Amino acid sequence: MNETILITGANRGIGLALTKLSLLKGLNVEACCRSMEKSDVLKKLSFQYSNLNIHEMDVTSSSSIERVSHEIKVEIDILVCNAGLNNGKGGLFSDDHDEKSIMDVMMVNVGGPFLTIKNLYNNLKKNNGSRVVIISSLMGSQTHSSSNAPIYRASKAAANNLMRTLSSELFEHGIAVASYHPGWVRTDMGGENADISTEESASSLLSQFMNLDIKKTGGFFNYDGNKLPL
Ligand SMILES: NC(=O)c1ccc[n+]([C@@H]2O[C@H](COP(=O)([O-])OP(=O)(O)OC[C@H]3O[C@@H](n4cnc5c(N)ncnc54)[C@H](OP(=O)(O)O)[C@@H]3O)[C@@H](O)[C@H]2O)c1
């Protein structure tokens, strides 16, 4: 039977490209978007592909994720925590970094994967090679020496740390957990001058997800599969 992949933030950017490619490859896709109203492309795809189910899900809301966990009828092989937010690229004195925007970024980028994995844990296939991936960023690596986007960077460093902790907790259940840098990608977040297209990023990422196994659990990887420093 074909594998099932669940993708958060599936209505645009990298999440949408991962959704399209997974459909083309014949995977069963559970595509989660924050708002159906902003997901016209996904809705159109559902007329074309019988292997696509769309769910409305806000990754910062346990009740919304719990509702999706009841809607899903098959076990999940690959859970992709992709939804993300960047509140601004300025430094310490940028007006972008107010209390609300800091809270929002931390909730979406750190709380989001945590609540998604917690509330969808029962839907994951157990002891049978299921995989949980968090789309992080090289900007969250502790090895950087940049001065921009301090809150986003901190949120992705925390997402990597979360990945490490959950990889230990889920190891005994045979569930591999890893985080990935998707490249600098031309999306609303990455901007039009970024290095690669969503298709290039999704293509490399998906083959990495397919090859992820328990021996690689706890790793932080580039989209091309090379290991990155946490
Ligand atoms: N683009 C890059 O160069 C780059 C580089 C490194 C890492 N990343 C990471 O890659 C992931 C995808 O980024 P992207 O470039 O595709 O970004 P994007 O185009 O801005 O898309 C972000 C996605 O996340 C969703 N989202 C935000 N908050 C949400 C919430 N509370 N609940 C559910 N969904 C939510 C958005 O939904 P709405 O449409 O409803 O807002 C949208 O689908 C993010 O985690 C990002 O940090 C991107």
Side-chain angles (χ1 to χ4, degrees):
M1 210 175 89
N2 289 343
E3 292 204 306
T4 295
I5 187 168
L6 182 141
I7 301 164
T8 68
N11 59 309
R12 61 186 167 103
I14 297 164
L16 179 61
L18 278 170
T19 299
K20 286 179 177 169
L21 187 63
S22 302
L23 289 169
L24 277 174
K25 289 190 179 291
L27 277 82
N28 300 315
V29 183
E30 308 289 340
C32 300
C33 55
R34 177 161 45 172
S35 151
M36 283 289 185
E37 274 172 30
K38 289 198 288 176
S39 302
D40 286 346
V41 182
L42 275 184
K43 283 189 264 183
K44 275 191 194 132
L45 284 171
S46 70
F47 295 120
Q48 205 180 333
Y49 291 97
S50 58
N51 49 333
L52 171 64
N53 295 311
I54 308 173
H55 309 274
E56 205 164 47
M57 183 174 116
D58 184 329
V59 299
T60 65
S61 156
S62 286
S63 60
S64 127
I65 308 167
E66 216 176 303
R67 182 180 33 72
V68 173
S69 90
H70 295 299
E71 288 171 12
I72 295 171
K73 304 288 175 246
V74 290
E75 289 184 312
I76 299 168
D77 297 279
I78 309 172
L79 171 56
V80 185
C81 300
N82 163 75
L85 194 63
N86 185 346
N87 68 321
K89 295 178 183 158
L92 185 59
F93 302 107
S94 161
D95 290 339
D96 290 335
H97 307 307
D98 59 17
E99 290 90 332
K100 179 170 183 326
S101 79
I102 294 171
M103 232 154 24
D104 286 348
V105 170
M106 290 298 174
M107 262 317 281
V108 174
N109 295 356
V110 189
F114 180 82
L115 294 175
T116 302
I117 297 164
K118 179 180 177 180
N119 289 290
L120 294 179
Y121 172 78
N122 286 334
N123 302 80
L124 282 172
K125 197 173 273 176
K126 305 291 176 333
N127 293 319
N128 203 11
S130 65
R131 290 137 274 168
V132 171
V133 305
I134 298 176
I135 304 301
S136 177
S137 171
L138 188 55
M139 289 175 77
S141 172
Q142 305 291 6
T143 58
H144 78 83
S145 55
S146 308
S147 61
N148 64 348
I151 300 303
Y152 179 74
R153 286 179 185 280
S155 75
K156 291 299 189 182
N160 281 343
N161 191 285
L162 177 73
M163 176 280 293
R164 291 288 297 179
T165 311
L166 299 186
S167 71
S168 299
E169 189 166 357
L170 299 183
F171 181 80
E172 64 181 286
H173 303 288
I175 300 169
V177 187
S179 56
Y180 290 84
H181 171 59
W184 184 25
V185 191
R186 290 188 289 276
T187 63
D188 292 339
M189 189 188 292
E192 59 189 21
N193 295 323
D195 288 335
I196 59 172
S197 66
T198 54
E199 291 79 10
E200 285 170 277
S201 175
S203 166
S204 297
L205 284 172
L206 192 59
S207 53
Q208 298 311 319
F209 303 164
M210 302 305 270
N211 288 324
L212 176 62
D213 60 27
I214 203 74
K215 289 192 239 90
K216 292 185 192 155
T217 199
F220 174 36
F221 301 98
N222 197 19
Y223 66 106
D224 61 9
N226 286 323
K227 205 152 186 201
L228 292 172
L230 284 163

mmCIF file of all heavy atoms in Angstrom, residues 165-194:
data_model
loop_
_atom_site.group_PDB
_atom_site.id
_atom_site.type_symbol
_atom_site.label_atom_id
_atom_site.label_comp_id
_atom_site.label_asym_id
_atom_site.label_seq_id
_atom_site.Cartn_x
_atom_site.Cartn_y
_atom_site.Cartn_z
ATOM 1 N N THR A 165 15.013 16.341 21.422
ATOM 2 C CA THR A 165 14.333 15.764 22.590
ATOM 3 C C THR A 165 13.307 14.720 22.151
ATOM 4 O O THR A 165 13.242 13.621 22.716
ATOM 5 C CB THR A 165 13.607 16.883 23.381
ATOM 6 O OG1 THR A 165 14.509 17.962 23.588
ATOM 7 C CG2 THR A 165 13.114 16.371 24.721
ATOM 8 N N LEU A 166 12.514 15.058 21.135
ATOM 9 C CA LEU A 166 11.466 14.130 20.697
ATOM 10 C C LEU A 166 12.078 12.887 20.038
ATOM 11 O O LEU A 166 11.513 11.792 20.129
ATOM 12 C CB LEU A 166 10.482 14.821 19.749
ATOM 13 C CG LEU A 166 9.730 16.015 20.352
ATOM 14 C CD1 LEU A 166 8.682 16.537 19.371
ATOM 15 C CD2 LEU A 166 9.053 15.659 21.670
ATOM 16 N N SER A 167 13.249 13.057 19.417
ATOM 17 C CA SER A 167 13.884 11.875 18.802
ATOM 18 C C SER A 167 14.251 10.869 19.891
ATOM 19 O O SER A 167 14.138 9.660 19.681
ATOM 20 C CB SER A 167 15.110 12.268 17.969
ATOM 21 O OG SER A 167 16.167 12.674 18.803
ATOM 22 N N SER A 168 14.656 11.359 21.067
ATOM 23 C CA SER A 168 14.963 10.441 22.184
ATOM 24 C C SER A 168 13.693 9.785 22.690
ATOM 25 O O SER A 168 13.655 8.578 22.927
ATOM 26 C CB SER A 168 15.617 11.201 23.346
ATOM 27 O OG SER A 168 16.806 11.774 22.924
ATOM 28 N N GLU A 169 12.630 10.581 22.858
ATOM 29 C CA GLU A 169 11.388 10.026 23.420
ATOM 30 C C GLU A 169 10.735 9.013 22.480
ATOM 31 O O GLU A 169 10.163 8.019 22.921
ATOM 32 C CB GLU A 169 10.404 11.156 23.768
ATOM 33 C CG GLU A 169 9.202 10.636 24.540
ATOM 34 C CD GLU A 169 8.364 11.726 25.193
ATOM 35 O OE1 GLU A 169 8.722 12.917 25.104
ATOM 36 O OE2 GLU A 169 7.331 11.367 25.798
ATOM 37 N N LEU A 170 10.816 9.265 21.174
ATOM 38 C CA LEU A 170 10.102 8.393 20.224
ATOM 39 C C LEU A 170 10.958 7.236 19.701
ATOM 40 O O LEU A 170 10.469 6.386 18.967
ATOM 41 C CB LEU A 170 9.547 9.232 19.063
ATOM 42 C CG LEU A 170 8.526 10.312 19.481
ATOM 43 C CD1 LEU A 170 7.970 11.039 18.261
ATOM 44 C CD2 LEU A 170 7.381 9.704 20.290
ATOM 45 N N PHE A 171 12.249 7.226 20.102
ATOM 46 C CA PHE A 171 13.164 6.185 19.606
ATOM 47 C C PHE A 171 12.622 4.786 19.905
ATOM 48 O O PHE A 171 12.600 3.908 19.046
ATOM 49 C CB PHE A 171 14.551 6.376 20.238
ATOM 50 C CG PHE A 171 15.563 5.376 19.765
ATOM 51 C CD1 PHE A 171 16.195 5.531 18.532
ATOM 52 C CD2 PHE A 171 15.887 4.265 20.540
ATOM 53 C CE1 PHE A 171 17.123 4.607 18.081
ATOM 54 C CE2 PHE A 171 16.806 3.334 20.090
ATOM 55 C CZ PHE A 171 17.429 3.501 18.868
ATOM 56 N N GLU A 172 12.151 4.592 21.148
ATOM 57 C CA GLU A 172 11.716 3.240 21.546
ATOM 58 C C GLU A 172 10.461 2.789 20.799
ATOM 59 O O GLU A 172 10.122 1.608 20.792
ATOM 60 C CB GLU A 172 11.480 3.161 23.063
ATOM 61 C CG GLU A 172 10.369 4.042 23.537
ATOM 62 C CD GLU A 172 10.181 3.963 25.056
ATOM 63 O OE1 GLU A 172 9.667 2.959 25.528
ATOM 64 O OE2 GLU A 172 10.578 4.936 25.737
ATOM 65 N N HIS A 173 9.765 3.745 20.159
ATOM 66 C CA HIS A 173 8.588 3.377 19.366
ATOM 67 C C HIS A 173 8.946 3.191 17.891
ATOM 68 O O HIS A 173 8.063 3.034 17.046
ATOM 69 C CB HIS A 173 7.497 4.444 19.502
ATOM 70 C CG HIS A 173 7.093 4.661 20.924
ATOM 71 N ND1 HIS A 173 6.348 3.745 21.626
ATOM 72 C CD2 HIS A 173 7.358 5.668 21.786
ATOM 73 C CE1 HIS A 173 6.173 4.177 22.861
ATOM 74 N NE2 HIS A 173 6.777 5.352 22.980
ATOM 75 N N GLY A 174 10.238 3.280 17.591
ATOM 76 C CA GLY A 174 10.701 3.065 16.220
ATOM 77 C C GLY A 174 10.372 4.222 15.296
ATOM 78 O O GLY A 174 10.360 4.062 14.069
ATOM 79 N N ILE A 175 10.103 5.407 15.877
ATOM 80 C CA ILE A 175 9.757 6.571 15.040
ATOM 81 C C ILE A 175 10.995 7.464 14.895
ATOM 82 O O ILE A 175 11.557 7.924 15.899
ATOM 83 C CB ILE A 175 8.591 7.374 15.668
ATOM 84 C CG1 ILE A 175 7.350 6.480 15.787
ATOM 85 C CG2 ILE A 175 8.300 8.632 14.862
ATOM 86 C CD1 ILE A 175 6.234 7.081 16.632
ATOM 87 N N ALA A 176 11.424 7.686 13.659
ATOM 88 C CA ALA A 176 12.578 8.548 13.409
ATOM 89 C C ALA A 176 12.131 10.008 13.383
ATOM 90 O O ALA A 176 11.095 10.334 12.807
ATOM 91 C CB ALA A 176 13.223 8.182 12.076
ATOM 92 N N VAL A 177 12.919 10.874 14.024
ATOM 93 C CA VAL A 177 12.607 12.312 14.053
ATOM 94 C C VAL A 177 13.843 13.080 13.574
ATOM 95 O O VAL A 177 14.949 12.835 14.067
ATOM 96 C CB VAL A 177 12.236 12.783 15.484
ATOM 97 C CG1 VAL A 177 11.753 14.231 15.464
ATOM 98 C CG2 VAL A 177 11.174 11.880 16.112
ATOM 99 N N ALA A 178 13.659 13.986 12.619
ATOM 100 C CA ALA A 178 14.806 14.763 12.120
ATOM 101 C C ALA A 178 14.327 16.141 11.688
ATOM 102 O O ALA A 178 13.127 16.353 11.475
ATOM 103 C CB ALA A 178 15.444 14.039 10.926
ATOM 104 N N SER A 179 15.276 17.089 11.587
ATOM 105 C CA SER A 179 14.898 18.409 11.060
ATOM 106 C C SER A 179 15.717 18.701 9.808
ATOM 107 O O SER A 179 16.809 18.158 9.614
ATOM 108 C CB SER A 179 15.057 19.510 12.118
ATOM 109 O OG SER A 179 16.359 19.540 12.623
ATOM 110 N N TYR A 180 15.144 19.570 8.965
ATOM 111 C CA TYR A 180 15.720 19.840 7.649
ATOM 112 C C TYR A 180 15.752 21.330 7.357
ATOM 113 O O TYR A 180 14.787 22.050 7.653
ATOM 114 C CB TYR A 180 14.884 19.165 6.541
ATOM 115 C CG TYR A 180 15.020 17.667 6.571
ATOM 116 C CD1 TYR A 180 14.231 16.905 7.431
ATOM 117 C CD2 TYR A 180 15.959 17.010 5.778
ATOM 118 C CE1 TYR A 180 14.369 15.528 7.499
ATOM 119 C CE2 TYR A 180 16.106 15.634 5.838
ATOM 120 C CZ TYR A 180 15.312 14.902 6.694
ATOM 121 O OH TYR A 180 15.460 13.544 6.770
ATOM 122 N N HIS A 181 16.857 21.774 6.724
ATOM 123 C CA HIS A 181 16.920 23.101 6.116
ATOM 124 C C HIS A 181 16.477 22.937 4.664
ATOM 125 O O HIS A 181 17.072 22.129 3.928
ATOM 126 C CB HIS A 181 18.355 23.638 6.187
ATOM 127 C CG HIS A 181 18.551 24.892 5.405
ATOM 128 N ND1 HIS A 181 17.838 26.047 5.660
ATOM 129 C CD2 HIS A 181 19.382 25.179 4.352
ATOM 130 C CE1 HIS A 181 18.210 26.985 4.796
ATOM 131 N NE2 HIS A 181 19.137 26.489 4.004
ATOM 132 N N PRO A 182 15.415 23.660 4.239
ATOM 133 C CA PRO A 182 14.889 23.428 2.875
ATOM 134 C C PRO A 182 15.655 24.144 1.779
ATOM 135 O O PRO A 182 15.270 24.065 0.606
ATOM 136 C CB PRO A 182 13.470 24.008 2.987
ATOM 137 C CG PRO A 182 13.597 25.109 3.993
ATOM 138 C CD PRO A 182 14.635 24.654 4.989
ATOM 139 N N GLY A 183 16.757 24.828 2.128
ATOM 140 C CA GLY A 183 17.432 25.706 1.173
ATOM 141 C C GLY A 183 16.853 27.113 1.322
ATOM 142 O O GLY A 183 15.912 27.331 2.100
ATOM 143 N N TRP A 184 17.459 28.072 0.595
ATOM 144 C CA TRP A 184 16.867 29.415 0.553
ATOM 145 C C TRP A 184 15.936 29.398 -0.646
ATOM 146 O O TRP A 184 16.370 29.321 -1.804
ATOM 147 C CB TRP A 184 17.957 30.477 0.435
ATOM 148 C CG TRP A 184 17.420 31.880 0.487
ATOM 149 C CD1 TRP A 184 16.261 32.298 1.068
ATOM 150 C CD2 TRP A 184 18.039 33.043 -0.082
ATOM 151 N NE1 TRP A 184 16.095 33.654 0.907
ATOM 152 C CE2 TRP A 184 17.168 34.141 0.204
ATOM 153 C CE3 TRP A 184 19.204 33.274 -0.787
ATOM 154 C CZ2 TRP A 184 17.461 35.432 -0.207
ATOM 155 C CZ3 TRP A 184 19.493 34.572 -1.198
ATOM 156 C CH2 TRP A 184 18.628 35.635 -0.905
ATOM 157 N N VAL A 185 14.634 29.429 -0.376
ATOM 158 C CA VAL A 185 13.628 29.052 -1.371
ATOM 159 C C VAL A 185 12.743 30.254 -1.747
ATOM 160 O O VAL A 185 12.309 31.010 -0.852
ATOM 161 C CB VAL A 185 12.726 27.912 -0.819
ATOM 162 C CG1 VAL A 185 11.869 27.334 -1.945
ATOM 163 C CG2 VAL A 185 13.559 26.804 -0.183
ATOM 164 N N ARG A 186 12.435 30.361 -3.046
ATOM 165 C CA ARG A 186 11.603 31.474 -3.533
ATOM 166 C C ARG A 186 10.137 31.257 -3.126
ATOM 167 O O ARG A 186 9.374 30.572 -3.825
ATOM 168 C CB ARG A 186 11.732 31.609 -5.052
ATOM 169 C CG ARG A 186 13.102 32.132 -5.488
ATOM 170 C CD ARG A 186 13.155 32.446 -6.962
ATOM 171 N NE ARG A 186 13.130 31.285 -7.806
ATOM 172 C CZ ARG A 186 14.187 30.543 -8.140
ATOM 173 N NH1 ARG A 186 15.399 30.832 -7.690
ATOM 174 N NH2 ARG A 186 14.050 29.499 -8.948
ATOM 175 N N THR A 187 9.774 31.793 -1.962
ATOM 176 C CA THR A 187 8.396 31.737 -1.449
ATOM 177 C C THR A 187 8.075 33.118 -0.891
ATOM 178 O O THR A 187 8.924 34.005 -0.906
ATOM 179 C CB THR A 187 8.277 30.715 -0.296
ATOM 180 O OG1 THR A 187 9.118 31.181 0.786
ATOM 181 C CG2 THR A 187 8.708 29.315 -0.706
ATOM 182 N N ASP A 188 6.876 33.264 -0.340
ATOM 183 C CA ASP A 188 6.543 34.543 0.313
ATOM 184 C C ASP A 188 7.571 34.842 1.405
ATOM 185 O O ASP A 188 7.987 35.978 1.594
ATOM 186 C CB ASP A 188 5.139 34.471 0.927
ATOM 187 C CG ASP A 188 4.073 34.376 -0.150
ATOM 188 O OD1 ASP A 188 4.361 34.755 -1.310
ATOM 189 O OD2 ASP A 188 2.957 33.896 0.159
ATOM 190 N N MET A 189 8.000 33.787 2.120
ATOM 191 C CA MET A 189 8.959 33.999 3.203
ATOM 192 C C MET A 189 10.377 34.200 2.668
ATOM 193 O O MET A 189 11.097 35.099 3.108
ATOM 194 C CB MET A 189 8.957 32.815 4.178
ATOM 195 C CG MET A 189 9.775 33.081 5.424
ATOM 196 S SD MET A 189 9.994 31.645 6.499
ATOM 197 C CE MET A 189 8.349 31.373 7.096
ATOM 198 N N GLY A 190 10.787 33.371 1.731
ATOM 199 C CA GLY A 190 12.169 33.420 1.232
ATOM 200 C C GLY A 190 12.438 34.606 0.315
ATOM 201 O O GLY A 190 13.572 35.056 0.195
ATOM 202 N N GLY A 191 11.384 35.126 -0.343
ATOM 203 C CA GLY A 191 11.554 36.265 -1.250
ATOM 204 C C GLY A 191 11.954 35.817 -2.648
ATOM 205 O O GLY A 191 12.391 34.684 -2.863
ATOM 206 N N GLU A 192 11.793 36.767 -3.599
ATOM 207 C CA GLU A 192 11.998 36.399 -5.003
ATOM 208 C C GLU A 192 13.467 36.227 -5.380
ATOM 209 O O GLU A 192 13.785 35.666 -6.423
ATOM 210 C CB GLU A 192 11.315 37.415 -5.925
ATOM 211 C CG GLU A 192 11.817 38.831 -5.745
ATOM 212 C CD GLU A 192 10.984 39.860 -6.520
ATOM 213 O OE1 GLU A 192 9.828 39.546 -6.855
ATOM 214 O OE2 GLU A 192 11.503 40.956 -6.772
ATOM 215 N N ASN A 193 14.405 36.730 -4.534
ATOM 216 C CA ASN A 193 15.834 36.604 -4.870
ATOM 217 C C ASN A 193 16.475 35.339 -4.306
ATOM 218 O O ASN A 193 17.691 35.164 -4.410
ATOM 219 C CB ASN A 193 16.611 37.825 -4.344
ATOM 220 C CG ASN A 193 16.170 39.090 -5.046
ATOM 221 O OD1 ASN A 193 15.888 39.053 -6.250
ATOM 222 N ND2 ASN A 193 16.080 40.186 -4.307
ATOM 223 N N ALA A 194 15.670 34.483 -3.714
ATOM 224 C CA ALA A 194 16.228 33.279 -3.083
ATOM 225 C C ALA A 194 16.855 32.359 -4.130
ATOM 226 O O ALA A 194 16.623 32.506 -5.334
ATOM 227 C CB ALA A 194 15.130 32.544 -2.317
#
